[in-house]
Amino acid sequence: MEEECKITLNTGLRGVTIANTRICEVDGKNGRLVYRGYMIQDLANASYEEVAYLLLYEHLPAAEALKGFRAQLAAERGIPPELIAALKTRPPKALPMDVLQAAVPMLAHHDPDIAEHSREAALRMAHRLIAKFPTVVAAWHRIRSGKDPVAPSPELGHAANFLYMLNGRTPDETATRAIDTALVLHAEHAFNASTFAAREVASTQAHMYAAVAAGVGSLSGALHGGANAKVMQMLLKLGSADKVADFVNAELDAGRKIFGLGHAVYDVDDPRAHIIASMSKALGEGVGNPRWYEMSTLIEQTAKEIFRTRKNADIPVNVDFYSASLYYYLGIPVDLFTPVFAIARVAGWAAHIIEEQFAGAAAKPVLYRPESDYIGDYCGPDVCEFVPLEKRKKG
C-alpha cells in the first residue's frame, strides 16, 4: 500500500478552499464582489436593512417584508440597563473593540432564545445583534466622553439612528446615505479572517453570541478591521499633500506596507473602494474640506506609479483606504472605525453562522479540525527525558 502523502501548508490558508457557501463570492482577479447573486455595485443603491435581509433570508425583501424587518430591528435596538451599568465601570481608555467584544456575551445573558438550537432562534438572535451593535458602540462612546447614552430613535433607519445615538443629532440626508452605503459595502466578504473565526466557533455548535464574539475579536486586529484607522492616522500625521510623495517613496523603499493599498484577495482594485471614494469626495466638498480625500487620492496615485515603474505591477486599493476619510468626515472618532466595521459585518457573520450550523452538514464535516506538522525537535529524534525539579540545573 502506498504511503499516505502529507502536505503542510504554511500559507495562512490562502488559496485553500475549505467549504461551500451560498452567501458571497469574492473574485479577486476580476474585482467582483457578489452577495447572494447580486453585484455589490447594485447593492450599493439599497439600504443596509435590505442587504441584511438578503444575507439572512437569501432574497431581497419586498416592500411589506422590508417594513416588517425594519420594525423588528427598531424594536430590538435597546440594550439592557445592566449592560449600560457595566459599560460605566469600564476605564475611559479601554479599547472600543474590547468593549464591544465584552458586551456580546453580556447581551447573550438577556436573550430568551439562547438555549434553543434552531434556525428560527438563530435568526431571532441575529436580528437582536444587528439591532443592538450600533447602540452598544454609541453608548460606549457617550459614556467614555462623560455623557449619557442617547436612546435609539424608532423613527430613524438603521444607519441614521447610529449617527443620531453617537452625536445626539439627526444626520442630514447626505450623511445618512453615506453611512448607509458604507455599512452595505462592509456587510459581507466571504471567508475573511473574522468570518472564518465565527464559522469555526459555530462549527462546535456554540450559540450565535459565542461565534459573533469570536468574529469581533478577529476583526480587532490591525491586519483585518483596523486598516482604515491606520489610514486615517497616516493622513493626520502627514497633514498636507506636499508631504505625500516623499512619504510614499520612503515607505516603499523601506519595504513597509501602506495601509489600504494591497489586499490578500484582490489582484485589481477592490470594487467597493471606488464607491466609497466618490462619497468621500462629496462629503469633503460638502463641508468645504476636501483635503483628506485629495491626500488619499494622491497617495494612491503615487504608490501606483511607483509600482508600475519599479515592478511593472499594480497595487490595488481596497475598501479601507477611502472609508477612513469618509468616516472622519462623518464625525466618527478614529478609534471607532473598526467598531463601525463590526456594526456592518455582524449581518454577514450571522448569515455564515446560520449556514455553518443549519446548511453545511453535507458540505463539510461538522467540526473544523485541521492538522498541524509538529516541528519541535527539542531532543533530536527522541522525546525529551523528564528531570525532576530538584535535579534540574539552574537557568
Side-chain angles (χ1 to χ4, degrees):
M1 188 170 74
E2 291 185 8
E3 185 178 347
E4 182 180 352
C5 178
K6 185 175 182 180
I7 301 174
T8 302
L9 297 171
N10 291 323
T11 61
L13 294 180
R14 281 169 173 76
V16 179
T17 300
I18 58 171
N20 296 323
T21 182
R22 292 174 55 85
I23 298 171
C24 181
E25 178 195 20
V26 181
D27 180 354
K29 290 185 178 180
N30 297 301
R32 275 170 38 105
L33 175 59
V34 179
Y35 295 0
R36 293 206 186 273
Y38 292 92
M39 294 288 287
I40 194 61
Q41 291 89 339
D42 294 327
L43 291 177
N45 298 308
S47 67
Y48 179 76
E49 291 95 324
E50 289 175 87
V51 171
Y53 188 100
L54 169 68
L55 292 172
L56 293 176
Y57 292 98
E58 302 192 37
H59 60 87
L60 285 168
E64 194 63 26
L66 179 60
K67 181 180 178 181
F69 185 59
R70 281 177 164 155
Q72 289 174 5
L73 293 182
E76 294 287 1
R77 286 174 180 164
I79 57 178
E82 293 89 347
L83 178 52
I84 293 288
L87 292 177
K88 290 181 178 179
T89 68
R90 304 300 89 194
K93 291 186 179 180
L95 298 178
M97 284 296 282
D98 289 350
V99 173
L100 178 60
Q101 187 177 22
V104 174
M106 286 191 277
L107 289 172
H109 301 162
H110 298 271
D111 195 303
D113 290 307
I114 198 67
E116 180 180 341
H117 186 72
S118 70
R119 186 185 189 93
E120 293 72 24
L123 284 166
R124 291 192 294 269
M125 286 188 272
H127 293 177
R128 295 178 187 119
L129 281 162
I130 292 168
K132 295 179 191 303
F133 260 39
T135 310
V136 172
V137 173
W140 165 243
H141 177 61
R142 302 279 299 184
I143 288 169
R144 71 173 180 174
S145 302
K147 301 175 182 177
D148 291 328
V150 174
S153 168
E155 308 301 322
L156 296 175
H158 190 75
N161 179 66
F162 169 63
L163 291 182
Y164 166 71
M165 291 188 295
L166 189 70
N167 301 318
R169 302 183 303 275
T170 301
D172 62 25
E173 185 176 344
T174 301
T176 296
R177 187 60 198 151
I179 187 65
D180 202 9
T181 303
L183 294 181
V184 167
L185 299 180
H186 284 90
E188 168 54 20
H189 208 245
F191 274 53
N192 56 85
S194 58
T195 298
F196 180 61
R199 287 192 72 131
E200 189 278 325
V201 172
S203 78
T204 72
Q205 299 299 304
H207 57 62
M208 174 74 68
Y209 289 84
V212 166
V216 175
S218 176
L219 190 67
S220 68
L223 294 182
H224 188 12
N228 55 7
K230 294 288 187 180
V231 172
M232 198 63 227
Q233 290 163 1
M234 170 185 69
L235 294 174
L236 291 168
K237 184 176 180 179
L238 287 172
S240 61
D242 61 338
K243 298 178 181 178
V244 165
D246 288 342
F247 167 77
V248 173
N249 274 283
E251 292 299 290
L252 296 181
D253 285 344
R256 289 190 288 267
K257 177 183 176 68
I258 296 178
F259 282 93
L261 299 180
H263 196 276
V265 176
Y266 290 107
D267 297 325
V268 296
D269 286 348
D270 183 336
R272 301 169 296 175
H274 298 292
I275 301 169
I276 289 259
S278 64
M279 294 191 300
S280 174
K281 182 176 186 290
L283 282 175
E285 292 173 348
V287 300
N289 181 21
R291 172 173 47 154
W292 308 118
Y293 164 77
E294 291 173 350
M295 285 177 61
S296 299
T297 300
L298 185 56
I299 291 170
E300 179 193 357
Q301 292 172 346
T302 304
K304 284 181 178 291
E305 288 172 5
I306 292 172
F307 260 71
R308 292 188 189 111
T309 301
R310 297 182 185 179
K311 301 184 178 182
N312 194 29
D314 197 9
I315 181 169
V317 60
N318 67 54
V319 68
D320 297 311
F321 195 69
Y322 286 100
S323 64
S325 53
L326 178 76
Y327 290 166
Y328 200 73
Y329 285 133
L330 288 170
I332 299 172
V334 175
D335 67 349
L336 292 189
F337 286 6
T338 308
V340 172
F341 193 160
I343 287 171
R345 186 56 58 83
V346 67
W349 290 333
H352 277 275
I353 292 162
I354 291 168
E355 183 178 72
E356 179 69 38
Q357 293 190 333
F358 302 105
K364 56 173 277 296
V366 174
L367 180 69
Y368 281 102
R369 181 58 175 90
E371 298 293 334
S372 61
D373 189 9
Y374 177 67
I375 59 172
D377 193 16
Y378 297 104
C379 299
D382 300 319
V383 295
C384 299
E385 178 185 357
F386 179 79
V387 178
L389 178 61
E390 63 275 10
K391 295 183 179 181
R392 291 176 207 161
K393 296 178 180 179
K394 293 181 179 180

